[in-house]
Amino acid sequence: MSFEHDLLAILPRLRRFAASLSRDRADGDDLCQAALERALKARDQWQPGTRLDSWIYRIMRNLWIDEARARQRAAKTFAPAEAGEHVGHAGDRDIEAHVHLTDVDRAMQALPDEQREAIALVLVEGLSYKEAAAVLGVPMGTLTSRLVRGRGALIELMGEAA
Amino acid sequence: MTDIDEAMLIALVDGELDEVTRRRVDRAVADDPALAERLAMHRRLRERLAGHYAPIAQEPVPGAMRALVEESARVVPLVRPAQRWRGWVTGGAIAASLVLGLSLGRLTGSEGGPIGLHDGVMVAQGALAQALDTQLASAQGDAAIRIGLTFQRKGGGWCRSFDGAVAGVACREGDGWYVQQALPGAGQGRAYRQASSSDARVMATVDALIDGAPVDAAAEAAARGKGWR
């Protein structure tokens, strides 16, 4: 099977991953397009026999992180990272103080990047912890703690904590 | 109260628990309505998120994206150039694990290395398993494998950091030690160095896993006495 054939087969999932990272669908498609261009240019760096999807998830994720950093430099209007961290840390104690956001997109956007990418890979893309940790280049323990904090924040933001 | 924490509930929902732990969580959930509700909440969250984004993967891919890939298929010759180890950025992790794998394989020759794979999980074996089972950090002389910290992980269970030809952290699961991390170590047969190049990364793993503080020598010996249960 050719590289392009395999790439076409996973395109719908790549596009979904891009959407789950991005602010809106248009940004998601831009990100996906940029990741495709980079993957095609760097195709001889992909090792046949390894997972093509994981490789491009990683390319896409790195582009997204670069872009997010550039945005943060450009506009300091972003909430500081600690504010995002706080969302992740807020536990049951703070439920009465939380803001009800019922929209999944908005809740995902409110997550710190490191939690959002972990949630996207495992809950949306269905990767195993091992695969997701490899894509993100972090130890399993780091991945699982991000999943715990990210989920806590999502539940709070989406008003799922009955 | 039970010793089932959020991370274990979540791992159950994500299909990441081994059989023994899964049964333990199932039992605890059956006995505890509050825990059952949290489990249901995590299941709902996963379904809701997956369901929210699922339709995107069902849509036709935009023409521009498809064209980009199809165009590439036409201009790139069918015979690809030989693989080059040029991509150290994207290939770095693969390269590192390959190098580590080679060194793991080479250590003990035909007996197999200190780490084996069981269902895709790294499990300590041979001398490493022996050291994790029996060696106390307070009394290890000039052993080839050094035990560093012994600690309880979040959610329960013992973990130990180690250094030698391979450095990392392993946690007790059932009768074995699951290796959470394996990195090139400070070396075998050399005097113990306080700081191997992998130390910072091992410490990051310890930080991510640890519940409280590492135990002292007495508690370490007591845990060994109980077979790390």
Side-chain angles (χ1 to χ4, degrees):
Chain A
M1 282 302 148
S2 77
F3 183 82
E4 285 82 8
H5 181 95
D6 293 350
L7 195 49
L8 281 175
I10 60 172
L11 247 179
R13 286 192 287 126
L14 297 174
R15 206 167 155 243
R16 178 178 59 191
F17 180 54
S20 66
L21 292 180
S22 302
R23 198 175 38 189
D24 54 38
R25 293 296 308 277
D27 275 8
D29 280 348
D30 286 350
L31 174 62
C32 191
Q33 181 96 11
L36 281 179
E37 282 166 14
R38 183 160 306 188
L40 287 167
K41 230 179 266 172
R43 52 187 284 155
D44 59 341
Q45 292 172 16
W46 176 63
Q47 299 297 305
T50 65
R51 288 182 58 153
L52 182 63
D53 56 355
S54 290
W55 183 65
I56 304 181
Y57 282 144
R58 191 182 325 173
I59 289 174
M60 193 180 284
R61 177 264 181 184
N62 289 343
L63 280 171
W64 174 67
I65 293 280
D66 289 348
E67 200 182 297
R69 285 192 188 132
R71 258 207 314 272
Q72 267 168 334
R73 275 196 300 274
K76 284 289 179 187
T77 51
F78 269 68
E82 304 84 68
E85 285 292 336
H86 179 72
V87 172
H89 280 113
D92 300 356
R93 296 182 304 276
D94 301 320
I95 282 174
E96 60 274 20
H98 81 271
V99 183
H100 262 285
L101 288 174
T102 48
D103 181 54
V104 176
D105 291 317
R106 282 201 292 158
M108 281 289 275
Q109 271 178 54
L111 291 187
D113 293 349
E114 58 177 35
Q115 292 172 21
R116 187 174 358 166
E117 61 191 12
I119 294 276
L121 285 173
V122 175
L123 278 73
V124 179
E125 297 307 312
L127 265 61
S128 71
Y129 288 2
K130 203 171 156 225
E131 290 159 351
V135 168
L136 300 176
V138 299
M140 291 269 281
T142 305
L143 175 81
T144 52
S145 84
R146 287 175 186 176
L147 287 172
V148 170
R149 282 185 287 142
R151 270 164 144 129
L154 283 177
I155 285 168
E156 198 172 319
L157 289 161
M158 288 161 48
E160 281 263 341
Chain B
M1 275 312 284
T2 65
D3 60 346
I4 308 298
D5 71 357
E6 212 69 3
M8 286 169 89
L9 286 181
I10 283 171
L12 177 67
V13 172
D14 292 338
E16 293 278 340
L17 288 184
D18 61 90
E19 188 58 26
V20 173
T21 316
R22 196 175 61 72
R23 277 202 298 266
R24 187 152 74 90
V25 177
D26 281 344
R27 274 197 304 273
V29 166
D31 292 343
D32 184 344
L35 205 58
E37 175 48 34
R38 289 202 76 76
L39 178 64
M41 185 180 68
H42 283 302
R43 286 225 163 93
R44 283 198 302 274
L45 177 67
R46 184 169 171 132
E47 280 164 20
R48 190 165 164 197
L49 269 172
H52 178 77
Y53 291 105
I56 298 174
Q58 306 302 321
E59 289 173 16
V61 171
M65 260 182 229
R66 178 169 283 278
L68 186 68
V69 178
E70 284 168 351
E71 188 67 24
S72 163
R74 274 197 295 277
V75 290
V76 176
L78 283 174
V79 179
R80 296 177 53 191
Q83 286 305 315
R84 277 171 287 168
W85 282 99
R86 199 180 64 172
W88 285 103
V89 177
T90 47
I94 297 161
S97 50
L98 181 62
V99 170
L100 181 59
L102 289 175
S103 70
L104 290 179
R106 214 186 292 134
L107 287 175
T108 47
S110 56
E111 299 165 15
I115 296 171
L117 272 184
H118 292 278
D119 295 334
V121 178
M122 293 193 291
V123 179
Q125 59 187 25
L128 178 57
Q130 174 89 6
L132 290 165
D133 275 339
T134 63
Q135 202 165 303
L136 296 178
S138 50
Q140 45 193 354
D142 55 0
I145 297 168
R146 312 282 307 189
I147 298 296
L149 302 171
T150 297
F151 58 93
Q152 290 268 358
R153 71 188 296 179
K154 295 176 193 124
W158 290 100
C159 300
R160 311 188 86 193
S161 68
F162 56 89
D163 200 353
V166 179
V169 178
C171 293
R172 187 77 179 184
E173 296 282 351
D175 291 329
W177 294 93
Y178 281 12
V179 177
Q180 309 289 315
Q181 180 185 38
L183 300 163
Q188 197 172 11
R190 273 195 273 160
Y192 182 58
R193 288 188 292 126
Q194 199 61 38
S196 79
S197 57
S198 298
D199 270 8
R201 285 191 286 167
V202 171
M203 283 315 298
T205 303
V206 172
D207 283 343
L209 292 172
I210 196 166
D211 182 13
V215 298
D216 60 16
E220 185 191 29
R224 181 182 67 171
K226 288 185 196 153
W228 307 105
R229 298 284 166 200

